[in-house]
Amino acid sequence: MSKLDITVEVCGMAGDGTIAAGGLINEGMSRGGLSVLAFDSYPAEIRGFGRCVTRSRIGHERRTALEEHTHVLISLNDEQSLSRVPFLTDLSAVFFDNRPPAPVPEESSLAAHVEPTTALFGMPFSDLAAQAAGSDRGRNLVALGGFAAVFQVPSELFQQAIVKKFKSKGQKVVESNVRCFQAGYAYAQERFSERLRDPISFPPRKEGPDIVMLSGNTAIAEGALDAGLHLYFGYPITPATPIMEYLAKKLPERGGRLMQMEDEIASIGAVLGGFFAGKRSMTATSGPGFALMTELITHGVMSETPAVIVDAQRGGPATGLPTKTEQSDLHAAVFGGPGDSARIVIAPTDVLECYHLTMKSFQLAEKYQIPVIVLTDFFLDNRVESVPPPVAGDGDGKDMTVYPDPDAKEPYRRFKITESGVSPRALPGMEGYIFTATGLEHTEKGLPDYTPENHSKMTEKRYRKLRSALEDLPSPVEQAPVGRMDLGVVGWGSNFGSVHEAVNRACERGLKVGALKLTSIYPYHEDAIRDFMSRCDEVLIAELNFEGQLANLIGHLHRKEVIRLNRVTGLPMPPSVIYKKILEILGETDS
């Protein structure tokens, strides 16, 4: 059995049911035991117009990135789908409505623009939906039925997915959608019986944990819940809003509270208040909201108050590209705000790391009494992966607060200067521990003190926490051969998935290339990164920003200038782009 690796795309106008159709493909294929990585792209406007595209990479093996090409295109709107034609592979299959609700001019006809090698499957989506359910609202389900029949996917996989999706809307809605799917399935079986494709092969069912479809945002929310989140304060902003929406349902069930605040400044202020009182608290935002938070984040640095902030990056600057992906908040996350303000920045690279690193962020914040920023991006937040349900490890939710020693003889000093930089932290209400905490520079007792000597030693103390925190921060992960390499590729965030696949492809070709994954962005494991770079003749850092922000941060660790690969299209970077760059650097041809 050859290994399956195809990309299925659904494209339509906002309101066509594109995202719903893509979700059903993901659920159906995952139920059959296939690995799925999927991503939705939609306009920033609230609703009514604009192109929606869902892309699902489906296969027998787990994949970590999306490629540009498409094997199957399900078009719910010819005009919107035309832009996807250049990405169709040879021998691809296209499903389209051959009797759409409104006439399609010839110049906008999908059938008139595809290559002769493309297999066209024209179906009367609207008519079949109207016959099956009394309206054309189920035309996306008809299209799915056609796809399932032509690729000989067991219909029950999709029907089970339909039931799961619509059962909350009542039995009539479920039955209506199932009928539409069945109508498309029957039509395609009858009309295309001579043109059926090789059946999609599903692996044998294995005993083990169930597989769930999980987005990055859901994984972050679940990680926070399992970490013992008590309080969430937030203000809606794309792409972080789904975290708040999920927690609004789930957090009260765990005894916590969620409040939508008037803005991002109020949100981070409340988070600091919650943690100051000893309750695990969190907020999530995106670039523009993060910019508003920066002064109070540094208040957390100065007052040594823990905080957990998710910065779900999108395209920028300003309000920028709300529904596009970019990795251009790195400098803001690491350095944003007034003064020397030490904080921890961690960046997951896939959905499961979203869960585990969010959990860890609470412990880091508590132990080092410092704001921790979880840096994600639109592609990571919104994509879904078929994964085993994430499970917390022993001690993952453990309270890591460094409390005062009740047997200590000396008077309590909240900001006591220590070798680790960490001072014992008393919570309000603990008898005998009175202190002052403000945003002003202060003495060990918290009283304002602006003398040069005090500011120097207090700044040094706060930065010593970063050195101590490295013991608890994830080390870089190598995907590299032993010994010297001609080229090393460094990646972070969701873009590491593309680095991973590109380097794999290069190694299969026999090239001496390795990859390094960074999740601890600041502070970073300088020795490990330098060791990797020192074994590479050349170092390439690939990231989704214009400036090469990670390259700016760690590039000096290499003995010569690192090579930068930067892309700001608002789209994820395909592995093929990195692979071509690898070949170019090594003087190889793409044969």
Side-chain angles (χ1 to χ4, degrees):
M1 181 175 68
S2 60
K3 289 183 178 178
L4 179 74
D5 183 8
I6 64 169
T7 296
V8 181
E9 185 170 302
V10 186
C11 182
M13 177 75 83
D16 280 338
T18 308
I19 305 298
L24 289 170
I25 289 174
N26 301 336
E27 180 71 23
M29 293 301 186
S30 178
R31 281 175 177 269
L34 295 175
S35 179
V36 178
L37 170 63
F39 178 60
D40 302 336
S41 176
Y42 46 83
E45 291 75 12
I46 300 300
R47 64 167 296 137
F49 60 94
R51 180 186 304 119
C52 292
V53 183
T54 73
R55 308 192 72 234
S56 305
R57 191 172 179 188
I58 300 163
H60 292 132
E61 294 182 347
R62 179 176 180 262
R63 300 295 177 177
T64 58
L66 292 175
E67 279 289 9
E68 285 181 307
H69 55 254
T70 297
H71 300 90
V72 181
L73 172 61
I74 300 173
S75 169
L76 300 177
N77 182 293
D78 273 25
E79 189 173 0
Q80 296 298 330
S81 300
L82 285 180
S83 64
R84 309 306 304 165
V85 170
F87 301 103
L88 293 172
T89 60
D90 293 340
L91 305 177
S92 55
V94 173
F95 296 81
F96 69 104
D97 195 339
N98 57 11
R99 292 181 200 164
V104 178
E106 184 174 354
E107 63 272 18
S108 299
S109 168
L110 188 61
H113 286 78
V114 299
E115 295 292 332
T117 54
T118 301
L120 284 168
F121 296 93
M123 299 174 62
F125 296 161
S126 302
D127 291 353
L128 290 173
Q131 292 167 17
S135 83
D136 67 354
R137 294 183 61 186
R139 55 197 297 273
N140 57 340
L141 274 298
V142 172
L144 285 191
F147 161 70
V150 167
F151 284 87
Q152 304 182 60
V153 179
S155 63
E156 60 267 24
L157 292 178
F158 278 101
Q159 294 186 50
Q160 291 165 359
I162 293 168
V163 171
K164 179 182 177 183
K165 180 173 180 58
F166 295 106
K167 65 181 180 182
S168 63
K169 297 186 177 181
Q171 189 60 24
K172 285 186 178 179
V173 176
V174 170
E175 291 174 355
S176 171
N177 283 286
V178 169
R179 286 199 301 273
C180 288
F181 172 82
Q182 291 173 334
Y185 197 93
Y187 181 92
Q189 273 192 321
E190 179 184 348
R191 299 299 179 94
F192 307 134
S193 59
E194 304 296 325
R195 302 169 57 201
L196 299 182
R197 294 297 184 97
D198 292 337
I200 288 179
S201 57
F202 290 89
R205 297 291 294 176
K206 296 179 181 177
E207 294 297 326
D210 290 336
I211 299 298
V212 296
M213 297 300 300
L214 203 62
S215 73
N217 273 337
T218 304
I220 288 169
E222 280 289 334
L225 289 168
D226 287 351
L229 178 70
H230 286 93
L231 301 167
Y232 181 94
F233 305 97
Y235 186 75
I237 187 170
T238 303
T241 301
I243 296 172
M244 186 162 68
E245 292 174 337
Y246 189 87
L247 290 174
K249 298 176 184 174
K250 301 291 184 179
L251 188 54
E253 296 173 4
R254 305 271 189 112
R257 294 290 183 270
L258 179 145
M259 181 176 288
Q260 179 176 323
M261 308 299 285
E262 64 266 37
D263 57 27
E264 288 86 350
I265 299 172
S267 300
I268 182 62
V271 168
L272 290 174
F275 250 122
F276 184 79
K279 298 294 184 183
R280 287 188 170 180
S281 309
M282 169 184 169
T283 188
T285 186
S286 189
F290 186 81
L292 294 173
M293 292 181 178
T294 50
E295 181 186 352
L296 275 172
I297 289 174
T298 64
H299 185 93
V301 173
M302 180 61 94
S303 63
E304 304 197 31
T305 305
V308 174
I309 307 117
V310 177
D311 178 2
Q313 300 168 97
R314 60 189 199 181
T319 46
L321 296 81
T323 58
K324 302 299 177 186
T325 198
E326 206 164 278
Q327 296 179 306
S328 51
D329 287 359
L330 185 147
H331 282 172
V334 174
F335 303 117
D340 293 311
S341 49
R343 78 287 301 272
I344 292 173
V345 181
I346 52 179
T349 65
D350 59 29
V351 164
L352 287 179
E353 282 186 356
C354 283
Y355 173 84
H356 291 291
L357 289 183
T358 299
M359 289 199 74
K360 191 170 191 63
S361 68
F362 285 91
Q363 293 187 324
L364 291 167
E366 277 180 347
K367 183 173 180 179
Y368 297 101
Q369 302 160 32
I370 196 169
V372 176
I373 297 157
V374 181
L375 194 58
T376 64
D377 58 67
F378 187 84
F379 178 43
L380 183 55
D381 294 311
N382 267 35
R383 83 189 197 191
V384 294
E385 294 181 45
S386 50
V387 295
V391 178
D394 291 340
D396 277 353
K398 182 182 175 185
D399 182 350
M400 297 293 284
T401 304
V402 179
Y403 293 106
D405 179 3
D407 298 324
K409 305 298 183 187
E410 59 184 9
Y412 177 61
R413 289 173 289 166
R414 168 66 186 92
F415 304 102
K416 180 181 180 182
I417 293 178
T418 63
E419 183 61 28
S420 68
V422 178
S423 309
R425 173 178 165 227
L427 303 180
M430 292 176 65
E431 187 174 352
Y433 300 100
I434 298 174
F435 63 95
T436 300
T438 73
L440 297 172
E441 186 58 281
H442 47 261
T443 65
E444 290 181 293
K445 292 184 177 180
L447 301 175
D449 186 331
Y450 314 141
T451 60
E453 296 79 10
N454 182 68
H455 183 50
S456 293
K457 68 182 183 182
M458 280 297 178
T459 302
E460 290 167 4
K461 162 192 157 45
R462 291 189 287 268
Y463 271 89
R464 279 203 296 278
K465 292 183 190 180
L466 299 186
R467 185 189 65 199
S468 303
L470 278 173
E471 297 176 5
D472 290 314
L473 283 164
S475 298
V477 177
E478 284 193 20
Q479 169 197 340
V482 177
R484 291 206 61 79
M485 290 164 275
D486 294 327
L487 176 66
V489 189
V490 180
W492 67 282
S494 69
N495 206 44
F496 181 76
S498 295
V499 170
H500 168 78
E501 293 209 11
V503 168
N504 270 353
R505 202 175 302 173
C507 290
E508 289 169 1
R509 185 176 167 140
L511 302 177
K512 294 181 68 176
V513 179
L516 188 71
K517 177 174 75 172
L518 299 187
T519 52
S520 301
I521 303 299
Y522 196 79
Y524 50 83
H525 291 272
E526 185 173 325
D527 291 344
I529 298 170
R530 184 181 282 114
D531 176 70
F532 174 83
M533 289 180 168
S534 68
R535 288 159 39 218
C536 304
D537 290 341
E538 302 284 355
V539 171
L540 170 67
I541 299 181
E543 47 187 329
L544 292 169
N545 56 57
F546 184 79
E547 295 183 81
Q549 297 189 11
L550 181 68
N552 291 342
L553 190 67
I554 66 167
H556 69 282
L557 298 177
H558 194 38
R559 65 185 184 282
K560 58 183 181 180
E561 190 73 17
V562 299
I563 302 169
R564 300 166 186 241
L565 177 58
N566 303 102
R567 183 167 159 135
V568 282
T569 61
L571 301 171
M573 187 183 296
S576 57
V577 171
I578 301 172
Y579 179 65
K580 287 177 183 175
K581 187 67 177 178
I582 292 172
L583 297 183
E584 176 191 321
I585 294 169
L586 298 182
E588 298 280 334
T589 57
D590 190 6
S591 56

